[in-house]
Amino acid sequence: MLGWALTFLVIAIIAGLLGFGGIAGASAGIAKILFLVFLVLFVIAMIARAVRGRPPM
């Protein structure tokens, strides 16, 4: 998931440099959403791991 967020971020940066504002904005938006989903899933996984008795990494 984090890989996809980074991919869309790179696409947004390249599109922005080439002057494609609409594509850059859409790619940046997708990257933000994917990154937030990744963070939420990561926090849930760490909480679940701590509840089961294993210390977080």
Side-chain angles (χ1 to χ4, degrees):
M1 178 100 37
L2 188 58
W4 282 105
L6 292 174
T7 301
F8 278 105
L9 179 64
V10 169
I11 291 171
I13 291 171
I14 292 171
L17 290 174
L18 296 176
F20 299 109
I23 296 172
S27 295
I30 293 170
K32 286 180 188 178
I33 291 169
L34 288 175
F35 184 71
L36 288 176
V37 170
F38 169 78
L39 280 179
V40 168
L41 291 175
F42 178 74
V43 169
I44 290 171
M46 288 294 111
I47 291 171
R49 186 177 177 98
V51 167
R52 285 189 278 160
R54 299 181 189 162
M57 295 179 133

